[in-house]
Amino acid sequence: EPEVTQTPSHQVTQMGQEVILRCVPISNHLYFYWYRQILGQKVEFLVSFYNNEISEKSEIFDDQFSVERPDGSNFTLKIRSTKLEDSAMYFCASRVTENYGYTFGSGTRLTVV
Amino acid sequence: AQTVTQSQPEMSVQEAETVTLSCTYDTSENNYYLFWYKQPPSRQMILVIRQEAYKQQNATENRFSVNFQKAAKSFSLKISDSQLGDTAMYFCAFIPHTGANSKLTFGKGITLSVRP
């Protein structure tokens, strides 16, 4: 069964450093998303991406965050200057059309120290 | 705006027994989808079951079934013949059927423990 692949599975970074979280969505999917889950809390929407541009973003997704799909397969989330409160599990998801549910990746655990 | 409420923070069930997890939601949309996701200790998000609001028939996937009450905006998950591997966090989620930009709204989740 096709999977959404996320790398790395766990990243530790120092506060103020830039991180890039990588995702490879399912090949025929057209809609891409990033969600995050702070430990013990609910899963929160960050951003949606379609047709090579951001469709929607949440209040969390401020100027420190950016996404891109540089080569037609990878879908990346960049955090320019990490803060302690960015520590969370970050999930990439994709779906083929709007009528289908999401397929989530296995997540990247980001720890900011 | 949509909201999803899971009022039970945790539940426990004996192996082989049946357990029901509750979820309510609020929306002004008429067409939408509802999901239950399972998050085991590995923290991966795994789709358990999906319900389309325009379908009256409750969705079923093997040991998992839902009780979808559209008028009451209720969407509970029933797990039959509980197994130790069912121990996980379960999230109820909602998405409106209003376009590609629709985002999932999650409840806070419920921790289910299956006792041997």
Side-chain angles (χ1 to χ4, degrees), chain A residues 1 7-8 10-11 20 26 29 34-35 39 42 46 49 54-56 72 78 85 87-88 94 98 102 106 109-110:
Chain A
E1 189 170 329
T7 55
H10 189 192
Q11 176 141 9
I20 297 177
I26 295 172
H29 284 196
W34 284 100
Y35 285 75
L39 186 63
K42 68 163 70 175
L46 290 178
F49 191 86
I54 290 175
S55 309
E56 185 177 355
K78 182 192 291 184
E85 54 265 37
S87 293
S94 68
E98 62 198 39
Y102 290 34
S106 53
R109 183 175 300 189
L110 177 66

Side-chain angles (χ1 to χ4, degrees), chain A residues 22 52 68-76:
Chain A
R22 301 181 192 281
N52 286 321
E68 63 175 5
R69 196 151 187 258
D71 55 11
S73 62
N74 291 287
F75 179 51
T76 61

Side-chain angles (χ1 to χ4, degrees), chain A residues 31 33 35 37 39 42-43 45 55-56 89 91 95 98-102 104 106 109, chain B residues 33 35 37 39 42-45 50 91 95 97 99-104 106-108:
Chain A
Y31 306 98
Y33 308 84
Y35 285 75
Q37 184 186 30
L39 186 63
K42 68 163 70 175
V43 182
F45 168 77
S55 309
E56 185 177 355
M89 195 79 169
F91 291 101
R95 57 178 175 160
E98 62 198 39
N99 295 325
Y100 281 78
Y102 290 34
F104 281 89
S106 53
R109 183 175 300 189
Chain B
Y33 300 92
F35 305 89
Y37 281 91
Q39 189 179 45
S42 65
R43 298 192 71 185
Q44 186 172 0
M45 295 292 284
R50 170 178 180 262
F91 291 93
I95 191 167
H97 183 209
N101 301 332
S102 303
K103 59 184 184 287
L104 274 170
F106 285 88
K108 288 187 177 179

Side-chain angles (χ1 to χ4, degrees), chain B residues 10-14 84 86-88 90 111-115:
Chain B
E10 53 186 79
M11 289 190 74
S12 179
V13 64
Q14 194 76 30
L84 297 178
D86 295 334
T87 292
Y90 287 82
T111 300
L112 176 66
S113 300
V114 179
R115 305 186 304 274

Side-chain angles (χ1 to χ4, degrees), chain B residues 26-46:
Chain B
D26 190 26
T27 183
S28 57
E29 301 280 344
N30 192 44
N31 291 324
Y32 47 86
Y33 300 92
L34 294 159
F35 305 89
W36 279 96
Y37 281 91
K38 172 185 177 182
Q39 189 179 45
S42 65
R43 298 192 71 185
Q44 186 172 0
M45 295 292 284
I46 302 167

Side-chain angles (χ1 to χ4, degrees), chain B residues 4-76:
Chain B
V4 177
T5 302
Q6 294 178 255
S7 56
Q8 307 154 304
E10 53 186 79
M11 289 190 74
S12 179
V13 64
Q14 194 76 30
E15 193 177 8
E17 294 191 345
T18 295
V19 64
T20 298
L21 311 182
S22 301
C23 173
T24 58
Y25 59 94
D26 190 26
T27 183
S28 57
E29 301 280 344
N30 192 44
N31 291 324
Y32 47 86
Y33 300 92
L34 294 159
F35 305 89
W36 279 96
Y37 281 91
K38 172 185 177 182
Q39 189 179 45
S42 65
R43 298 192 71 185
Q44 186 172 0
M45 295 292 284
I46 302 167
L47 178 65
V48 174
I49 200 164
R50 170 178 180 262
Q51 175 78 43
E52 294 155 353
Y54 63 86
K55 288 188 177 178
Q56 292 187 339
Q57 187 173 5
N58 289 323
T60 299
E61 287 288 341
N62 300 314
R63 298 183 295 109
F64 299 89
S65 61
V66 299
N67 183 4
F68 173 49
Q69 303 288 330
K70 190 173 183 180
K73 294 181 181 170
S74 169
F75 183 61
S76 60

Side-chain angles (χ1 to χ4, degrees), chain A residues 7-13 18-21 88 108-112:
Chain A
T7 55
S9 57
H10 189 192
Q11 176 141 9
V12 181
T13 188
E18 174 182 287
V19 294
I20 297 177
L21 310 183
T108 293
R109 183 175 300 189
L110 177 66
T111 303
V112 182

